[in-house]
Amino acid sequence: MALPPPDPQFVLRGTSAAVHTLHFSCGGPEPDIPLLFSGSENGFIHVWNLKTHRVDTALDGHGRKSVYCVETMGGKDRLLSQGRDQRICLWDLAEGRTSVTDSVFTEHVGFCRCSLLKVAQGRWLMAMAARSLEEVQILELPSKTSVCTLKPEVGAKLGMPMCLKLWQLKCDSQPVLLAGYEDGSVVLWNVSMGKVLSQLICHQEPVMSLDFDTEKAKGISGSSEKVLSIWSLNEQQNLQVYKAHELVNAGISDITIRADKKILATAGWDHRIRIFGWKKLKPLAVLDYHTATVHCVSFSDHSNPRERLLAAGSKDQRISVWSIYAQT
Amino acid sequence: VCFIPGGLDCSISFVSHVLGKVCVHGRQKEILGVLVPHLTDLTKSDCIWQRICWRLVECVPDRWMEAVVLGFVQGASGADVLSRLLGNLVVKNKKAQFVVTQKMLLLQYGHPTGVLQNLLGYLSLDSLRRALLLRVLQELLETWSSSSAVKHSPAEQQLYISKAILICLSHLKEPEIESCRQELLTSMMEGVKCHLDSSLPQLRRLGMVVAESISLKINTEGPVLKFEYEEDDETRELKSLLVQTPPFCVVPSFPDDDRSEKAPLVPESNEKPHTGAPMMADEELDAELDSDDDLTPYDMSEDKELKTKAPVYIRDCIEVLTGSRSEDMDKWEATVKALESLVRKNPAATREVSVELAKILLHLEEKTCIEGFVELRQRAQVAVLTTDPIPVAKYLTSQFYSLNYSLRQRMDILDVLVLAAQELSCPKFHGKTKHSGVQKPCIQLLPGSDSSKDWRRIVDERIKSKTRRFYMGQSHVELASRPNEFNSVAGHFFFPLIQHFDRPLTTFDLLGEDHLVLGRLVHTLAILMYLAVNTVAVTAMGKALLEFVWALRFHTDSYVRQGLLSCVSSLLLSVPTERILADMTEELLETQSWLGDVMEKDPDGDCRRLALQNLLLMENLKKKLEAVPS
């Protein structure tokens, strides 16, 4: 007899706008307070204190235009945020400051979230959609120098890049980029040479979100249709479709794999969060709390496994925080 | 008849005379039936025989030439045979030329396609005659593109001319097309305009097919004119005429390879991931032990498809449909789908807001892409109209004659009125209504359909049932009798529609350009008249309708005339005989003479048939009167 799905551990209210992006920062040692960063449609980034469940700070840096990506860069003092005002802002939040130290003007008018990869101490690579329709630009941060521009060949008709993931197999190997495009294909790029390594058509509709497990070289992508596509990367760096999983309702906004690679969560347009086992994509739970489409899901980075949380932000302006499968 | 060949100078002019005399007396088939096969064989390889044959026909006197040439053209088995038999007669003899290039093509239209093929093929086979072919094409195109010809000539003649044009086109060579490209283009543009203007779908299709074919011929590279229409046997036959078996006429076939399929790069299959774990490939792994087993799934039985709920109250529906919030597209869709059943389940609530709802539905535009939106809207409108007939009918009929509606909307009003009238006048099974014709013939007024065909069938059945006086096994089930709901409202549907037809508005002129709507209006009135049988208002309706028909009886559009004749039919069928004969005798006599005229002289075949049926119905009426002992 299966148990009914759990209720959220707590719900954060107070953003007064749809929540588009979430990012945890709970890895610091005691007495650091675990934090959750959220970006909303009204342009604010809220820093939530997970002990008091209240907003500690509200950052206003995108001219009241929707913020659709937040990431920390090596700790909770450096924050990166991306907004619909076509800017990526770098924040300094140490010692109570709330200032924008730098910004990149992307000229990108879409919704593609940028992707960060730490390549060395104090150096990051950032992949972001650029001004031209099909291109992806790789910048080095904090110097903001352009590493390369990834342009698909003429006539490829991939459309806009919809989601990006920069990764590298080991600390000093070549960085590669996985990009999901508007035509439903996922492309693997070699960043240093700027060439396409492999391309795979995973969906008939635009790829909304993707995530990749570097250890197993397996990835998953979701789109506006009813199918989740799981694909793998073989030794020759070729993408192959591994499996397709059919959902009950169409539309996935976000997918994320937990750090221990055991489970993954999807945020659905049908207001539901779904949990799957990553190994075989076994459906584990359907969390039905929100009353509007769920825009983002994020797992926390607690060092103590038992404290791990899952957060989901939705158009109904709430952030639900769950503790699920934390015992394993 | 046999000839002695061999060096003798013989004159065969007497044979020509005999031939001519026989043909002109109507014996073409008999004599040519024997002569032509013989000559066909003899002239196959023998030049002398060919020349003899040519002399034979050339010597036929002018007054009999027509009969002879006609006979030959009809009797020859192929264009090359005709060429051998007649030679260059058409070039040398004026009368023959007239018969072949003018009379058979433009003045007559009864010849089968094979004859046309022979004739035009014959013209194309010799360089001297090809000039005639071009002239023929020009004249055919002139007729095809003349708007008065399209309006007034019978459909069969227009079909014949279209076939002739297509066959001519199939024979033309590149340089010839080059020389007359501009004229072809001009005629095509004018002709297609007249054809598309017509109210009869068959003529529109003819125009489209011919225009497409002309465009194909003159635009060898670049985009070609393409219309959307339903293929049927006629169009397929026409298109096949463009292809000729002789080698110099090749029609480019539409390339199939531009439908190139982008095969998905990798098919879905259970391939092994590169870690090589063998158990990955298998779906049924309940027996296998792996670390996923300690993640027990939760209960997911509540996880069902997400369905937006439609509102449950009529007033909520109104709010959703008039609301401008673009967020609730799902709700809007669900409302549109649920509206008809809600209206039918809540008649009292609907009556409170009926006119408002009718107004909203009339102006409702498709906001998202729902399947069958037009039908959903129409059914909702019919539901509203049948629930509260009098105010809604008043509203709809007044809007029919108002400013600033599109033709489509006005025709929608007519369709809704007819469907509602049909529903009200049919006996219903308690609680349910059957929309699609289970009982009496159902009049489906789908956009653009030719309701005159259905109409004929309906009138036929009615006539049958009246003359034989027993029903042909239609509804044996004893239907619970209910009062005729159409009785109290028939007048409200009918009279406002008939009132203002001669009053033009700035955007709507029934008697002028908008004759398509006039045709639909006339057909609608005919159906309403038919459905008004056994109502109290039927006599008054009949009188008004008869006056209406009288005023419009000489209308130039054949679709309108067909409608008027249908009006007369339904009038004769619905108004009780006694009332017809008592109140409308003089009008009926006038109508009878008009019908006689139509039956003989109207260019449209359907009109003639309908007129004949009406005359038969009137005869029946007279007989009935005589049968009743007074």
Side-chain angles (χ1 to χ4, degrees):
Chain A
M1 177 61 195
L3 292 168
D7 286 330
Q9 200 170 63
F10 51 91
V11 175
L12 300 172
R13 296 178 168 78
T15 53
S16 2
V19 179
H20 283 287
T21 178
L22 292 168
H23 190 87
F24 277 98
S25 178
C26 315
E30 292 283 322
D32 265 356
I33 307 166
L35 296 174
L36 173 63
F37 295 93
S38 75
S40 313
E41 201 162 308
N42 56 5
F44 281 94
I45 301 162
H46 295 274
V47 185
W48 298 87
N49 182 323
L50 290 177
K51 285 249 161 44
T52 63
H53 305 173
R54 295 271 195 280
V55 175
D56 268 355
T57 341
L59 307 169
D60 180 10
H62 286 277
R64 303 303 164 93
K65 294 278 168 76
S66 174
V67 176
Y68 57 90
C69 179
V70 276
E71 297 246 10
T72 50
M73 293 166 74
K76 57 187 174 54
D77 293 334
R78 304 268 298 274
L79 187 71
L80 177 145
S81 66
Q82 188 178 17
R84 291 274 290 150
D85 60 343
Q86 301 175 36
R87 285 191 337 155
I88 293 180
C89 291
L90 297 167
W91 301 77
D92 173 22
L93 301 175
E95 291 156 16
R97 292 188 284 267
T98 58
S99 52
V100 177
T101 51
D102 210 350
S103 69
V104 177
F105 189 50
T106 64
E107 294 181 82
H108 173 61
V109 294
F111 298 86
C112 181
R113 293 182 179 135
C114 62
S115 175
L116 278 177
L117 179 68
K118 184 167 185 179
V119 286
Q121 187 60 22
R123 266 181 55 215
W124 281 268
L125 279 182
M126 178 178 73
M128 62 183 204
R131 174 164 167 233
S132 181
L133 184 62
E134 297 189 340
E135 287 175 8
V136 175
Q137 226 183 357
I138 315 280
L139 291 185
E140 199 204 333
L141 291 177
S143 58
K144 298 198 296 192
T145 45
S146 168
V147 172
C148 75
T149 312
L150 302 174
K151 240 189 288 227
E153 59 183 32
V154 179
K157 289 216 179 149
L158 293 172
M160 291 193 304
M162 303 288 297
C163 43
L164 302 168
K165 182 144 178 100
L166 263 181
W167 57 280
Q168 55 186 158
L169 197 50
K170 284 186 274 279
C171 275
D172 46 359
S173 51
Q174 299 276 10
V176 261
L177 173 73
L178 276 168
Y181 288 86
E182 207 181 334
D183 72 333
S185 52
V186 172
V187 176
L188 182 69
W189 292 88
N190 178 321
V191 170
S192 9
M193 289 192 283
K195 276 193 344 184
V196 174
L197 290 171
S198 172
Q199 180 177 350
L200 181 67
I201 295 185
C202 303
H203 298 279
Q204 306 298 317
E205 303 273 323
V207 180
M208 288 294 172
S209 172
L210 59 80
D211 205 356
F212 190 69
D213 177 357
T214 46
E215 290 161 28
K216 296 203 193 108
K218 226 165 71 171
I220 180 170
S221 59
S223 136
S224 51
E225 49 187 18
K226 277 190 185 180
V227 177
L228 281 175
S229 178
I230 299 100
W231 27 272
S232 62
L233 199 59
N234 64 7
E235 286 101 16
Q236 291 86 28
Q237 304 281 61
N238 279 334
L239 291 168
Q240 296 160 313
V241 171
Y242 173 66
K243 201 167 146 180
H245 178 88
E246 180 135 345
L247 300 162
V248 174
N249 291 309
I252 295 285
S253 342
D254 200 6
I255 302 183
T256 182
I257 306 175
R258 199 162 72 174
D260 64 352
K261 317 288 189 223
K262 288 222 177 115
I263 60 173
L264 69 98
T266 65
W269 292 1
D270 60 351
H271 323 333
R272 294 173 200 162
I273 305 154
R274 290 164 201 281
I275 313 283
F276 295 88
W278 176 224
K279 242 191 183 153
K280 278 168 290 159
L281 213 73
K282 179 164 102 170
L284 292 174
V286 175
L287 305 174
D288 194 4
Y289 167 76
H290 288 284
T291 52
T293 152
V294 184
H295 284 306
C296 49
V297 274
S298 183
F299 281 103
S300 69
D301 55 346
H302 284 91
S303 24
N304 182 352
R306 283 181 206 283
E307 292 175 3
R308 283 175 301 183
L309 299 168
L310 164 71
S314 159
K315 192 172 156 189
D316 63 3
Q317 306 176 3
R318 311 256 186 279
I319 301 169
S320 56
V321 183
W322 312 72
S323 170
I324 190 163
Y325 292 118
Q327 269 69 36
T328 55
Chain B
V1 184
C2 58
F3 291 86
I4 310 160
L8 290 173
D9 246 355
C10 44
S11 155
I12 45 174
S13 57
F14 71 97
V15 184
S16 312
H17 277 67
V18 169
L19 183 60
K21 193 87 191 244
V22 170
C23 286
V24 98
H25 279 292
R27 296 291 177 198
Q28 287 158 306
K29 278 215 195 74
E30 285 85 346
I31 189 165
L32 289 175
V34 175
L35 196 56
V36 170
H38 271 297
L39 287 173
T40 315
D41 287 331
L42 290 169
T43 53
K44 228 180 244 182
S45 41
D46 196 341
C47 283
I48 303 185
W49 270 110
Q50 279 186 14
R51 257 197 286 271
I52 294 181
C53 191
W54 298 349
R55 272 308 280 162
L56 177 68
V57 281
E58 277 164 32
C59 291
V60 173
D62 267 355
R63 59 190 179 281
W64 301 324
M65 180 62 84
E66 182 186 327
V68 174
V69 170
L70 209 55
F72 266 94
V73 175
Q74 282 173 322
S77 53
D80 50 340
V81 170
L82 199 56
S83 178
R84 289 203 305 264
L85 294 177
L86 292 183
N88 279 339
L89 180 65
V90 285
V91 180
K92 296 184 202 157
N93 186 305
K94 286 281 165 232
K95 192 80 203 276
Q97 191 179 88
F98 175 73
V99 170
V100 169
T101 60
Q102 304 268 17
K103 191 148 187 182
M104 284 187 80
L105 291 172
L106 298 170
L107 299 174
Q108 298 176 337
Y109 57 92
H111 301 290
T113 320
V115 170
L116 266 181
Q117 292 267 24
N118 290 350
L119 199 159
L120 294 167
Y122 160 65
L123 284 179
S124 71
L125 280 175
D126 184 284
S127 51
L128 282 177
R129 302 197 288 260
R130 280 190 88 89
L132 285 178
L133 182 71
L134 284 175
R135 217 178 66 198
V136 156
L137 179 60
Q138 273 169 357
E139 284 177 11
L140 285 170
L141 281 174
E142 242 183 76
T143 317
W144 181 76
S145 58
S146 117
S147 64
S148 65
V150 173
K151 271 197 224 169
H152 299 293
S153 41
E156 294 82 8
Q157 183 168 27
Q158 302 203 31
L159 178 60
Y160 184 82
I161 291 187
S162 310
K163 282 190 196 168
I165 293 179
L166 291 173
I167 299 176
C168 276
L169 283 176
S170 73
H171 282 292
L172 286 184
K173 289 197 231 186
E174 238 333 284
E176 289 158 338
I177 298 183
E178 258 319 305
S179 61
C180 57
R181 174 164 295 183
Q182 197 48 41
E183 294 158 31
L184 282 176
L185 187 62
T186 337
S187 328
M188 177 183 90
M189 299 304 280
E190 282 176 26
V192 84
K193 188 160 98 67
C194 311
H195 281 266
L196 290 177
D197 232 356
S198 157
S199 314
L200 297 173
Q202 188 199 17
L203 293 181
R204 291 200 291 266
R205 262 207 305 269
L206 271 182
M208 290 194 252
V209 173
V210 174
E212 273 183 11
S213 316
I214 298 181
S215 156
L216 195 63
K217 280 283 171 178
I218 61 181
N219 288 347
T220 40
E221 68 292 308
V224 161
L225 188 60
K226 191 101 182 74
F227 285 103
E228 268 185 33
Y229 49 81
E230 271 178 41
E231 290 270 352
D232 69 348
D233 292 332
E234 196 178 276
T235 54
R236 276 190 278 266
E237 191 200 335
L238 284 171
K239 283 194 184 159
S240 70
L241 293 174
L242 266 186
V243 185
Q244 283 283 343
T245 37
F248 55 83
C249 293
V250 174
V251 173
S253 57
F254 295 91
D256 267 345
D257 47 352
D258 57 351
R259 263 188 289 119
S260 56
E261 317 228 0
K262 279 199 187 136
L265 289 179
V266 179
E268 279 181 37
S269 59
N270 286 339
E271 289 190 2
K272 302 203 200 306
H274 89 295
T275 53
M279 42 193 189
M280 292 301 182
D282 206 323
E283 295 273 40
E284 272 83 48
L285 295 150
D286 303 56
E288 309 282 40
L289 248 177
D290 60 70
S291 55
D292 260 3
D293 268 2
D294 46 354
L295 295 170
T296 46
Y298 287 93
D299 176 29
M300 292 179 278
S301 56
E302 290 295 312
D303 189 16
K304 288 185 216 102
E305 251 185 74
L306 198 65
K307 277 195 192 136
T308 3
K309 288 214 267 180
V312 183
Y313 298 105
I314 303 265
R315 287 189 193 267
D316 289 344
C317 289
I318 294 182
E319 237 182 77
V320 173
L321 290 175
T322 50
S324 53
R325 287 183 320 194
S326 55
E327 310 277 318
D328 275 339
M329 277 301 110
D330 289 330
K331 201 146 193 193
W332 187 90
E333 270 187 34
T335 309
V336 171
K337 288 185 189 157
L339 189 57
E340 187 206 351
S341 50
L342 272 179
V343 166
R344 289 193 189 274
K345 281 190 211 150
N346 301 302
T350 311
R351 269 180 226 122
E352 290 171 18
V353 289
S354 57
V355 178
E356 196 182 333
L357 203 47
K359 192 166 173 187
I360 294 169
L361 285 170
L362 188 59
H363 294 97
L364 195 67
E365 274 170 45
E366 197 166 354
K367 272 200 201 152
T368 67
C369 195
I370 311 182
E371 225 177 276
F373 172 77
V374 175
E375 204 196 322
L376 284 171
R377 182 179 64 182
Q378 196 179 63
R379 286 164 70 125
Q381 285 174 305
V382 172
V384 172
L385 184 50
T386 51
T387 313
D388 196 9
I390 297 185
V392 180
K394 199 162 152 196
Y395 172 72
L396 286 178
T397 49
S398 66
Q399 296 306 297
F400 179 73
Y401 283 109
S402 300
L403 289 171
N404 295 333
Y405 280 99
S406 68
L407 293 184
R408 179 73 262 159
Q409 280 172 313
R410 296 187 206 269
M411 293 200 282
D412 278 345
I413 293 178
L414 294 177
D415 288 346
V416 168
L417 285 169
V418 164
L419 288 171
Q422 191 190 344
E423 196 182 309
L424 289 171
S425 60
C426 280
K428 293 183 240 194
F429 292 107
H430 182 63
K432 286 195 200 152
T433 55
K434 307 232 163 167
H435 286 287
S436 50
V438 166
Q439 295 149 21
K440 275 294 179 69
C442 177
I443 306 147
Q444 301 267 13
L445 275 189
L446 298 168
S449 79
D450 191 7
S451 54
S452 65
K453 286 207 191 85
D454 295 335
W455 190 244
R456 218 177 310 130
R457 182 170 52 83
I458 295 165
V459 172
D460 282 342
E461 284 189 40
R462 211 45 154 94
I463 292 177
K464 257 197 281 180
S465 71
K466 279 201 165 250
T467 48
R468 290 208 211 167
R469 296 198 174 264
F470 70 90
Y471 293 98
M472 315 275 273
Q474 287 226 342
S475 39
H476 287 299
V477 177
E478 273 297 314
L479 298 166
S481 45
R482 292 160 68 86
N484 183 349
E485 290 173 32
F486 194 48
N487 179 24
S488 41
V489 302
H492 291 272
F493 279 40
F494 183 84
F495 289 109
L497 281 182
I498 210 174
Q499 254 181 344
H500 298 303
F501 73 93
D502 50 357
R503 228 200 281 163
L505 303 166
T506 40
T507 56
F508 182 49
D509 182 12
L510 271 180
L511 295 179
E513 294 187 323
D514 297 319
H515 48 86
L516 177 62
V517 184
L518 178 64
R520 295 294 289 266
L521 174 64
V522 174
H523 279 274
T524 305
L525 291 171
I527 297 173
L528 288 176
M529 184 76 235
Y530 174 77
L531 291 170
V533 68
N534 299 331
T535 62
V536 170
V538 70
T539 318
M541 282 166 68
K543 284 197 91 164
L545 193 57
L546 207 47
E547 257 185 62
F548 175 75
V549 167
W550 196 248
L552 289 176
R553 68 192 186 283
F554 293 130
H555 202 274
T556 47
D557 186 334
S558 20
Y559 185 61
V560 173
R561 284 202 307 277
Q562 286 170 12
L564 292 172
L565 291 164
S566 313
C567 284
V568 177
S569 306
S570 34
L571 201 154
L572 292 171
L573 291 170
S574 294
V575 181
T577 329
E578 303 77 24
R579 296 259 59 83
I580 296 185
L581 296 168
D583 292 344
M584 300 187 236
T585 1
E586 287 142 23
E587 292 94 331
L588 275 189
L589 285 174
E590 287 178 334
T591 314
Q592 201 171 27
S593 56
W594 167 58
L595 287 173
D597 245 2
V598 171
M599 188 178 73
E600 289 171 25
K601 298 192 200 136
D602 195 295
D604 184 72
D606 285 330
C607 287
R608 290 196 299 269
R609 247 169 307 210
L610 286 170
L612 179 59
Q613 265 173 355
N614 286 335
L615 285 171
L616 285 175
L617 282 173
M618 289 178 123
E619 282 300 312
N620 278 351
L621 278 181
K622 281 215 194 112
K623 280 194 202 141
K624 264 213 294 189
L625 181 63
E626 285 156 22
V628 172
S630 50

